[in-house]
Amino acid sequence: MQDSSLTTLLDAIEAELHRLGHLHEASAPSIRVTSAFGYGQTPFEQWLGQVFLPNARAAVASNDLPASSQVAVAAFRNFDGMDEANALISLLGSFDAKINKAGRVRGGA
């Protein structure tokens, strides 16, 4: 069953990416990366829109969530000193918290 709170959160993350000018097309094609957070392959903000969002939406839709998430840590590092990204970092932190809490519940911790 799809988690509507995660879907709502992903919608808010997408809207914030649009507001910041980091997401220009609603249906930008997904890109393939082989490194964590697209490091060395694509700008982080592009990775968020074209890798993270599609993959996170697919995971929520199929209820195949990862055991943990640290995307907010990566965002904090990549957007360091950019006050305008604080809302995005906060939303990503909320995403991490929901995923990590669900992972602990599934793991029995």
Side-chain angles (χ1 to χ4, degrees), residues 33-48:
V33 296
T34 56
S35 60
F37 308 111
Y39 181 76
Q41 293 181 280
T42 186
F44 181 73
E45 55 274 13
Q46 183 180 5
W47 177 86
L48 280 172

Side-chain angles (χ1 to χ4, degrees), residues 6 65-69 95-104 106:
L6 280 172
L65 301 173
S68 66
S69 177
F95 177 85
D96 286 351
K98 286 183 177 291
I99 292 297
N100 295 338
K101 181 178 179 182
R104 284 191 302 273
R106 284 191 312 271

Side-chain angles (χ1 to χ4, degrees), residues 21-72:
H22 296 312
L23 194 59
H24 303 288
E25 298 178 30
S27 60
S30 180
I31 57 174
R32 182 162 166 68
V33 296
T34 56
S35 60
F37 308 111
Y39 181 76
Q41 293 181 280
T42 186
F44 181 73
E45 55 274 13
Q46 183 180 5
W47 177 86
L48 280 172
Q50 292 182 278
V51 177
F52 168 75
L53 277 177
N55 289 344
R57 288 187 186 284
V60 170
S62 66
N63 198 31
D64 186 21
L65 301 173
S68 66
S69 177
Q70 295 185 353
V71 69

